[in-house]
Amino acid sequence: LYNELTGSIPSELGRLWNLRTLYLGRNHLTSTIPTQLGMIQKLSSLSLQWNDLSGTIPDQHLKNLLTLRALQVEGNEKLIGKVERQ
């Protein structure tokens, strides 16, 4: 049903400037959320829930995504922080 992706989220995804939805939920992704995701200016939905992500949510980068309407990170027990909207 799901991709069962493993490893870390590639920072190169930040080069997909016109991407609107990124669904990587319910996989086996580890490591941190790359700050480069904050470069995807048209991103409206980012789903990273139910992986094994850790570290701090890169709020300084993600809060600049003015079109971001949905951010899903639940189920990542080692992930800390939140994104404050401006």
Side-chain angles (χ1 to χ4, degrees):
L1 187 63
Y2 298 102
N3 295 317
E4 305 223 3
L5 298 173
T6 60
S8 59
I9 300 170
S11 60
E12 293 82 6
L13 290 175
R15 295 184 194 154
L16 301 174
W17 301 293
N18 290 315
L19 189 67
R20 295 179 190 268
T21 301
L22 180 58
Y23 185 86
L24 295 173
R26 298 183 182 273
N27 285 290
H28 304 284
L29 297 172
T30 58
S31 194
T32 59
I33 299 173
T35 59
Q36 291 86 348
L37 294 185
M39 296 170 44
I40 309 173
Q41 290 301 310
K42 294 185 179 180
L43 194 63
S44 63
S45 179
L46 177 58
S47 299
L48 303 172
Q49 74 274 22
W50 303 106
N51 282 289
D52 195 24
L53 298 172
S54 60
T56 303
I57 297 172
D59 65 321
Q60 290 298 323
H61 301 277
L62 296 180
K63 73 179 179 182
N64 294 324
L65 296 175
L66 301 178
T67 59
L68 189 63
R69 299 290 177 250
L71 173 62
Q72 297 173 306
V73 294
E74 65 273 7
N76 292 287
E77 296 179 8
K78 299 176 198 166
L79 195 60
I80 58 172
K82 58 184 176 179
V83 177
E84 297 288 337
R85 295 305 272 170
Q86 292 187 359

